Amino acid sequence: MKHIFVLFFAIVPFIGKAQGSITMLDKPFNISLAKDSAVLNPLKRTPAFNGLSTLEQDVVYWVNVARLNPTKFYSDYIVPFVQQFPEAKGKAFNSLEKDISAAKGLRALEPMGMLNNVAVGHAKEIVTGKTGFTHAAAGGKSFEQRMREAGISGCAGENLYEGKEDALVAVILLLIDKDVSGYGHRKVMLHPMFNTVGVSFLPSRTGSFILVQDFSCK
């Protein structure tokens, strides 16, 4: 049995949008998931992190692991992933090592209640069918309009993911960005200007899960 994963991103002020997908065997990613207390403990001290579900907390944790030590995340998690799922290999994966090596001095992202609310609101619209798998809200509001109405000015970014209920797999697939022109999801997660994040990870009516990641430099 195979499972299709769908990815979509937006980023401002450098406007860009692209969608990609990957079909993979429906099997678990077998790897040790021991948590790094140096990454996890600061997150636990933030109210916005504690307000998230365990699955959503895992998304924030793994994004920060990838940002704080990209080369180690690549060798410890991404390489074993493509060994178990060779269908993830290709041009995008081949380009990732270079981008990972160039990602220097990235800060951990701090969970932000305002961004969590933005992510939850948009994820609910997607899973209830009020809008499609897109950054536009019901009624046609663009991503930029949604951010401004939430009080987010300056730079902002958003990643969308549809697939299995697995935070680490979602983060890895967003970094690999297979069949996505310009590798926008990767650029959003490794953007040096971003310092805050909001997350929602909800089940859809089709049985898959929808992940919304929102980022800002507020």
Side-chain angles (χ1 to χ4, degrees):
M1 181 177 178
K2 294 188 176 182
H3 194 92
I4 297 176
F5 299 82
V6 184
L7 318 171
F8 201 25
F9 87 95
I11 185 170
V12 293
F14 312 103
I15 304 299
K17 297 180 181 179
Q19 183 170 343
S21 65
I22 177 172
T23 303
M24 295 171 24
L25 288 176
D26 190 5
K27 63 181 182 179
F29 176 32
N30 295 314
I31 196 162
S32 172
L33 298 177
K35 297 290 182 66
D36 184 344
S37 60
V39 179
L40 186 60
N41 288 342
L43 291 171
K44 288 182 175 180
R45 292 193 287 268
T46 63
F49 181 78
N50 293 319
L52 297 172
S53 70
T54 300
L55 180 62
E56 292 162 346
Q57 289 179 348
D58 284 347
V59 172
V60 176
Y61 169 80
W62 288 116
V63 170
N64 275 345
V65 170
R67 284 176 63 90
L68 290 169
N69 197 333
T71 55
K72 189 173 189 301
F73 185 84
Y74 178 84
S75 61
D76 288 357
Y77 298 104
I78 296 178
V79 171
F81 180 82
V82 298
Q83 290 172 343
Q84 293 181 40
F85 298 92
E87 55 267 44
K89 292 182 179 179
K91 180 181 177 181
F93 170 70
N94 293 338
S95 74
L96 179 57
E97 185 174 12
K98 179 180 178 180
D99 286 347
I100 286 288
S101 298
K104 306 291 184 182
L106 297 176
R107 297 171 290 180
L109 299 172
E110 180 179 352
M112 182 180 181
M114 183 187 302
L115 284 177
N116 284 341
N117 293 338
V118 172
V120 168
H122 196 54
K124 286 182 176 179
E125 287 198 337
I126 294 174
V127 301
T128 58
K130 291 182 179 179
T131 184
F133 191 72
T134 173
H135 298 286
K141 290 181 182 177
S142 68
F143 168 68
E144 296 88 340
Q145 290 173 315
R146 289 171 43 223
M147 292 296 106
R148 285 199 300 269
E149 289 184 0
I152 303 296
S153 59
C155 66
E158 182 173 76
N159 285 339
L160 305 181
Y161 159 96
E162 180 178 6
K164 293 184 67 175
E165 182 187 11
D166 191 313
L168 178 56
V169 168
V171 170
I172 290 174
L173 288 175
L174 288 165
L175 285 169
I176 293 176
D177 248 2
K178 188 175 177 66
D179 295 333
V180 177
S181 175
Y183 310 127
H185 304 92
R186 180 189 308 174
K187 291 177 179 177
V188 170
M189 280 202 291
L190 300 179
H191 198 305
M193 292 181 65
F194 290 148
N195 55 26
T196 58
V197 65
V199 171
S200 181
F201 211 157
L202 300 178
S204 74
R205 294 180 295 183
T206 63
S208 62
F209 276 72
I210 300 294
L211 167 64
V212 178
Q213 299 175 317
D214 284 309
F215 305 82
S216 83
C217 51
K218 186 175 177 65

Short mmCIF file of all heavy atoms in Angstrom, two decimals, residues 39-76:
data_model
loop_
_atom_site.label_atom_id
_atom_site.label_comp_id
_atom_site.label_asym_id
_atom_site.label_seq_id
_atom_site.Cartn_x
_atom_site.Cartn_y
_atom_site.Cartn_z
N VAL A 39 17.22 21.03 23.56
CA VAL A 39 16.26 21.62 22.63
C VAL A 39 14.87 21.66 23.25
O VAL A 39 14.14 22.65 23.13
CB VAL A 39 16.23 20.82 21.31
CG1 VAL A 39 15.19 21.42 20.34
CG2 VAL A 39 17.60 20.80 20.65
N LEU A 40 14.51 20.58 23.94
CA LEU A 40 13.14 20.44 24.44
C LEU A 40 12.84 21.30 25.67
O LEU A 40 11.76 21.90 25.77
CB LEU A 40 12.88 18.96 24.77
CG LEU A 40 11.45 18.60 25.19
CD1 LEU A 40 10.46 18.95 24.08
CD2 LEU A 40 11.38 17.11 25.52
N ASN A 41 13.78 21.38 26.60
CA ASN A 41 13.49 22.08 27.86
C ASN A 41 13.15 23.56 27.69
O ASN A 41 12.23 24.06 28.33
CB ASN A 41 14.64 21.89 28.84
CG ASN A 41 14.71 20.47 29.39
OD1 ASN A 41 13.73 19.72 29.30
ND2 ASN A 41 15.84 20.09 29.94
N PRO A 42 13.87 24.31 26.84
CA PRO A 42 13.46 25.71 26.63
C PRO A 42 12.06 25.83 26.06
O PRO A 42 11.33 26.77 26.39
CB PRO A 42 14.52 26.24 25.65
CG PRO A 42 15.70 25.37 25.86
CD PRO A 42 15.14 24.01 26.15
N LEU A 43 11.66 24.89 25.21
CA LEU A 43 10.32 24.91 24.65
C LEU A 43 9.27 24.69 25.74
O LEU A 43 8.22 25.33 25.74
CB LEU A 43 10.17 23.84 23.57
CG LEU A 43 10.96 24.06 22.28
CD1 LEU A 43 10.89 22.81 21.40
CD2 LEU A 43 10.43 25.27 21.52
N LYS A 44 9.56 23.80 26.66
CA LYS A 44 8.61 23.48 27.73
C LYS A 44 8.35 24.67 28.65
O LYS A 44 7.35 24.68 29.37
CB LYS A 44 9.12 22.31 28.56
CG LYS A 44 9.06 20.96 27.85
CD LYS A 44 9.54 19.85 28.76
CE LYS A 44 9.38 18.49 28.13
NZ LYS A 44 9.85 17.39 29.03
N ARG A 45 9.23 25.66 28.60
CA ARG A 45 9.05 26.84 29.46
C ARG A 45 8.18 27.91 28.80
O ARG A 45 7.96 28.97 29.38
CB ARG A 45 10.41 27.42 29.84
CG ARG A 45 11.23 26.51 30.76
CD ARG A 45 12.41 27.23 31.36
NE ARG A 45 13.47 27.47 30.40
CZ ARG A 45 14.49 26.65 30.19
NH1 ARG A 45 14.59 25.52 30.89
NH2 ARG A 45 15.42 26.94 29.30
N THR A 46 7.69 27.65 27.60
CA THR A 46 6.87 28.64 26.90
C THR A 46 5.41 28.22 26.93
O THR A 46 5.07 27.09 26.56
CB THR A 46 7.33 28.80 25.44
OG1 THR A 46 7.14 27.57 24.74
CG2 THR A 46 8.81 29.19 25.38
N PRO A 47 4.50 29.09 27.35
CA PRO A 47 3.08 28.75 27.42
C PRO A 47 2.52 28.31 26.06
O PRO A 47 1.67 27.42 26.00
CB PRO A 47 2.43 30.05 27.90
CG PRO A 47 3.50 30.77 28.64
CD PRO A 47 4.77 30.44 27.91
N ALA A 48 2.96 28.94 24.98
CA ALA A 48 2.43 28.61 23.66
C ALA A 48 2.77 27.17 23.27
O ALA A 48 1.99 26.51 22.57
CB ALA A 48 2.96 29.58 22.61
N PHE A 49 3.91 26.67 23.70
CA PHE A 49 4.30 25.28 23.42
C PHE A 49 3.44 24.33 24.25
O PHE A 49 2.94 23.32 23.73
CB PHE A 49 5.77 25.07 23.75
CG PHE A 49 6.28 23.68 23.48
CD1 PHE A 49 6.59 23.28 22.19
CD2 PHE A 49 6.46 22.77 24.51
CE1 PHE A 49 7.07 22.00 21.93
CE2 PHE A 49 6.93 21.49 24.26
CZ PHE A 49 7.24 21.10 22.96
N ASN A 50 3.23 24.64 25.50
CA ASN A 50 2.45 23.77 26.37
C ASN A 50 0.99 23.71 25.98
O ASN A 50 0.28 22.77 26.35
CB ASN A 50 2.60 24.23 27.83
CG ASN A 50 4.01 24.04 28.35
OD1 ASN A 50 4.64 23.02 28.08
ND2 ASN A 50 4.53 25.01 29.08
N GLY A 51 0.53 24.69 25.22
CA GLY A 51 -0.85 24.67 24.75
C GLY A 51 -1.08 23.83 23.51
O GLY A 51 -2.23 23.66 23.08
N LEU A 52 -0.01 23.29 22.95
CA LEU A 52 -0.11 22.46 21.75
C LEU A 52 -0.36 21.00 22.12
O LEU A 52 -0.04 20.55 23.22
CB LEU A 52 1.17 22.56 20.93
CG LEU A 52 1.53 23.93 20.36
CD1 LEU A 52 2.94 23.90 19.75
CD2 LEU A 52 0.51 24.39 19.32
N SER A 53 -0.90 20.24 21.16
CA SER A 53 -1.00 18.80 21.34
C SER A 53 0.39 18.18 21.29
O SER A 53 1.36 18.82 20.85
CB SER A 53 -1.87 18.18 20.25
OG SER A 53 -1.20 18.23 18.99
N THR A 54 0.50 16.93 21.73
CA THR A 54 1.80 16.24 21.68
C THR A 54 2.34 16.18 20.26
O THR A 54 3.53 16.38 20.02
CB THR A 54 1.67 14.83 22.26
OG1 THR A 54 1.23 14.91 23.62
CG2 THR A 54 3.01 14.09 22.21
N LEU A 55 1.47 15.89 19.31
CA LEU A 55 1.88 15.83 17.91
C LEU A 55 2.39 17.18 17.43
O LEU A 55 3.43 17.26 16.74
CB LEU A 55 0.70 15.38 17.05
CG LEU A 55 0.92 15.25 15.54
CD1 LEU A 55 1.99 14.20 15.24
CD2 LEU A 55 -0.39 14.88 14.85
N GLU A 56 1.71 18.24 17.78
CA GLU A 56 2.13 19.59 17.38
C GLU A 56 3.42 20.00 18.08
O GLU A 56 4.29 20.64 17.47
CB GLU A 56 1.00 20.58 17.69
CG GLU A 56 -0.22 20.37 16.81
CD GLU A 56 -1.48 21.01 17.36
OE1 GLU A 56 -1.49 21.39 18.56
OE2 GLU A 56 -2.46 21.13 16.61
N GLN A 57 3.57 19.63 19.34
CA GLN A 57 4.82 19.88 20.05
C GLN A 57 5.99 19.19 19.36
O GLN A 57 7.08 19.75 19.24
CB GLN A 57 4.72 19.42 21.50
CG GLN A 57 3.82 20.26 22.37
CD GLN A 57 3.74 19.74 23.79
OE1 GLN A 57 4.17 18.63 24.11
NE2 GLN A 57 3.15 20.54 24.68
N ASP A 58 5.75 17.98 18.88
CA ASP A 58 6.80 17.24 18.18
C ASP A 58 7.22 17.95 16.90
O ASP A 58 8.41 17.95 16.54
CB ASP A 58 6.34 15.82 17.86
CG ASP A 58 6.36 14.90 19.07
OD1 ASP A 58 6.95 15.28 20.09
OD2 ASP A 58 5.76 13.81 18.99
N VAL A 59 6.27 18.55 16.20
CA VAL A 59 6.62 19.31 15.00
C VAL A 59 7.57 20.45 15.34
O VAL A 59 8.62 20.63 14.71
CB VAL A 59 5.36 19.87 14.30
CG1 VAL A 59 5.76 20.81 13.16
CG2 VAL A 59 4.49 18.74 13.76
N VAL A 60 7.22 21.22 16.36
CA VAL A 60 8.07 22.35 16.78
C VAL A 60 9.45 21.84 17.21
O VAL A 60 10.48 22.42 16.84
CB VAL A 60 7.41 23.14 17.92
CG1 VAL A 60 8.34 24.24 18.42
CG2 VAL A 60 6.09 23.74 17.46
N TYR A 61 9.46 20.77 17.98
CA TYR A 61 10.74 20.21 18.44
C TYR A 61 11.62 19.81 17.27
O TYR A 61 12.80 20.20 17.21
CB TYR A 61 10.48 19.00 19.34
CG TYR A 61 11.73 18.21 19.64
CD1 TYR A 61 12.62 18.63 20.62
CD2 TYR A 61 12.04 17.06 18.91
CE1 TYR A 61 13.79 17.92 20.86
CE2 TYR A 61 13.21 16.35 19.15
CZ TYR A 61 14.08 16.78 20.13
OH TYR A 61 15.24 16.09 20.36
N TRP A 62 11.07 19.06 16.31
CA TRP A 62 11.91 18.57 15.21
C TRP A 62 12.36 19.69 14.28
O TRP A 62 13.48 19.66 13.75
CB TRP A 62 11.18 17.48 14.42
CG TRP A 62 11.06 16.19 15.17
CD1 TRP A 62 9.91 15.59 15.60
CD2 TRP A 62 12.14 15.35 15.61
NE1 TRP A 62 10.20 14.43 16.27
CE2 TRP A 62 11.56 14.26 16.30
CE3 TRP A 62 13.52 15.42 15.50
CZ2 TRP A 62 12.33 13.24 16.86
CZ3 TRP A 62 14.29 14.41 16.06
CH2 TRP A 62 13.70 13.35 16.73
N VAL A 63 11.54 20.70 14.09
CA VAL A 63 11.98 21.86 13.30
C VAL A 63 13.16 22.53 13.99
O VAL A 63 14.14 22.91 13.34
CB VAL A 63 10.82 22.86 13.10
CG1 VAL A 63 11.35 24.16 12.48
CG2 VAL A 63 9.76 22.26 12.19
N ASN A 64 13.11 22.66 15.31
CA ASN A 64 14.21 23.30 16.02
C ASN A 64 15.46 22.44 16.03
O ASN A 64 16.58 22.95 15.95
CB ASN A 64 13.78 23.65 17.45
CG ASN A 64 13.07 24.98 17.52
OD1 ASN A 64 13.13 25.77 16.58
ND2 ASN A 64 12.39 25.25 18.62
N VAL A 65 15.29 21.13 16.11
CA VAL A 65 16.46 20.24 16.00
C VAL A 65 17.13 20.45 14.65
O VAL A 65 18.36 20.55 14.55
CB VAL A 65 16.04 18.76 16.18
CG1 VAL A 65 17.20 17.83 15.83
CG2 VAL A 65 15.59 18.51 17.61
N ALA A 66 16.33 20.54 13.60
CA ALA A 66 16.87 20.73 12.25
C ALA A 66 17.55 22.09 12.11
O ALA A 66 18.57 22.21 11.42
CB ALA A 66 15.76 20.59 11.21
N ARG A 67 17.00 23.11 12.74
CA ARG A 67 17.57 24.45 12.63
C ARG A 67 18.86 24.60 13.45
O ARG A 67 19.82 25.23 13.00
CB ARG A 67 16.56 25.50 13.09
CG ARG A 67 15.45 25.78 12.08
CD ARG A 67 14.44 26.76 12.64
NE ARG A 67 15.03 28.07 12.91
CZ ARG A 67 15.08 29.07 12.05
NH1 ARG A 67 14.59 28.93 10.83
NH2 ARG A 67 15.62 30.23 12.38
N LEU A 68 18.88 24.05 14.64
CA LEU A 68 20.02 24.26 15.53
C LEU A 68 21.26 23.47 15.11
O LEU A 68 22.38 23.91 15.35
CB LEU A 68 19.62 23.88 16.97
CG LEU A 68 18.62 24.84 17.62
CD1 LEU A 68 18.09 24.26 18.92
CD2 LEU A 68 19.27 26.21 17.87
N ASN A 69 21.07 22.33 14.49
CA ASN A 69 22.21 21.55 14.01
C ASN A 69 21.81 20.84 12.72
O ASN A 69 21.56 19.63 12.71
CB ASN A 69 22.65 20.53 15.06
CG ASN A 69 24.05 20.00 14.79
OD1 ASN A 69 24.49 19.98 13.64
ND2 ASN A 69 24.75 19.55 15.82
N PRO A 70 21.73 21.60 11.62
CA PRO A 70 21.24 21.03 10.36
C PRO A 70 22.03 19.83 9.85
O PRO A 70 21.43 18.86 9.38
CB PRO A 70 21.35 22.22 9.38
CG PRO A 70 21.32 23.43 10.24
CD PRO A 70 22.03 23.04 11.49
N THR A 71 23.35 19.87 9.95
CA THR A 71 24.15 18.77 9.41
C THR A 71 23.92 17.49 10.21
O THR A 71 23.89 16.39 9.64
CB THR A 71 25.64 19.12 9.39
OG1 THR A 71 26.06 19.52 10.70
CG2 THR A 71 25.91 20.26 8.42
N LYS A 72 23.77 17.60 11.52
CA LYS A 72 23.52 16.42 12.35
C LYS A 72 22.11 15.88 12.06
O LYS A 72 21.92 14.65 12.00
CB LYS A 72 23.66 16.76 13.83
CG LYS A 72 23.62 15.54 14.75
CD LYS A 72 23.93 15.93 16.18
CE LYS A 72 24.12 14.72 17.07
NZ LYS A 72 22.95 13.83 17.11
N PHE A 73 21.14 16.76 11.91
CA PHE A 73 19.79 16.31 11.58
C PHE A 73 19.80 15.58 10.24
O PHE A 73 19.14 14.55 10.09
CB PHE A 73 18.84 17.51 11.51
CG PHE A 73 17.41 17.15 11.30
CD1 PHE A 73 16.60 16.80 12.37
CD2 PHE A 73 16.86 17.13 10.02
CE1 PHE A 73 15.26 16.44 12.16
CE2 PHE A 73 15.54 16.79 9.82
CZ PHE A 73 14.74 16.44 10.90
N TYR A 74 20.56 16.10 9.30
CA TYR A 74 20.66 15.47 7.99
C TYR A 74 21.23 14.05 8.10
O TYR A 74 20.66 13.10 7.54
CB TYR A 74 21.54 16.32 7.07
CG TYR A 74 21.76 15.75 5.69
CD1 TYR A 74 20.83 15.96 4.68
CD2 TYR A 74 22.89 15.00 5.40
CE1 TYR A 74 21.03 15.43 3.41
CE2 TYR A 74 23.11 14.47 4.14
CZ TYR A 74 22.16 14.69 3.14
OH TYR A 74 22.36 14.15 1.89
N SER A 75 22.32 13.91 8.83
CA SER A 75 22.97 12.59 8.92
C SER A 75 22.20 11.62 9.81
O SER A 75 22.15 10.42 9.53
CB SER A 75 24.41 12.74 9.43
OG SER A 75 24.43 13.32 10.73
N ASP A 76 21.60 12.13 10.89
CA ASP A 76 20.93 11.25 11.85
C ASP A 76 19.53 10.84 11.42
O ASP A 76 19.06 9.76 11.81
CB ASP A 76 20.83 11.94 13.22
CG ASP A 76 22.16 12.03 13.94
OD1 ASP A 76 23.16 11.50 13.40
OD2 ASP A 76 22.20 12.63 15.03
#
